[in-house]
Amino acid sequence: VQLQASGGGLVQTGGSLRLSCAASESMFRLSGLGWYRQAPGKQRELVASISRGGSTNVADSVKGRFTISRDNAKNTVYLQMNSLIPEDTGVYYCNAYRLSIDGRMDYWGEGTLVTVSS
């Protein structure tokens, strides 16, 4: 599975950005997709995910500000980020995964940098 992410950039505190991630396969062949981020000097963390069935999971730190959604026809997942704060700065990675009896297989896109200035 190949993932192509876009939409990062520089924004001021309180601003908005929308990240997009296009998958090379149909979303119905994946167990789910999501967005992770990695801030400088920190570990990569889950921001939001959406399962094949449409269930979403959003990190507490972004709940109420970020929304994950998808367009099945375009095999694309989005992350709408509102009310951005400097703590949201980091490299955002698109993730897709498959669950099977053998476990979980993860696929990663190249990161896109989000910088929130104070």
Side-chain angles (χ1 to χ4, degrees):
V1 180
Q2 294 183 337
L3 303 169
Q4 183 65 49
S6 61
L10 173 64
V11 65
Q12 290 185 333
T13 295
S16 298
L17 284 173
R18 188 176 81 155
L19 305 183
S20 301
C21 176
S24 61
E25 291 190 21
S26 167
M27 294 186 177
F28 296 108
R29 297 185 62 182
L30 300 168
S31 300
L33 297 104
W35 290 94
Y36 287 69
R37 69 185 180 189
Q38 187 164 19
K42 294 188 176 181
Q43 290 187 333
R44 191 176 297 189
E45 62 176 357
L46 174 68
V47 177
S49 64
I50 184 166
S51 72
R52 179 168 51 203
S55 299
T56 60
N57 180 32
V58 180
D60 289 341
S61 60
V62 304
K63 200 165 289 184
R65 300 187 296 121
F66 291 12
T67 303
I68 188 168
S69 63
R70 69 187 186 193
D71 184 332
N72 294 335
K74 296 181 179 180
N75 295 335
T76 299
V77 63
Y78 303 98
L79 185 68
Q80 179 65 44
M81 305 185 294
N82 299 328
S83 302
L84 284 160
I85 58 178
E87 289 76 11
D88 295 320
T89 293
V91 179
Y92 284 68
Y93 296 92
C94 181
N95 166 267
Y97 64 93
R98 280 200 183 102
L99 301 175
S100 71
I101 57 173
D102 296 323
R104 171 172 169 151
M105 177 67 76
D106 284 280
Y107 305 89
W108 297 94
E110 292 187 2
T112 183
L113 178 63
V114 172
T115 304
V116 184
S117 63
S118 57

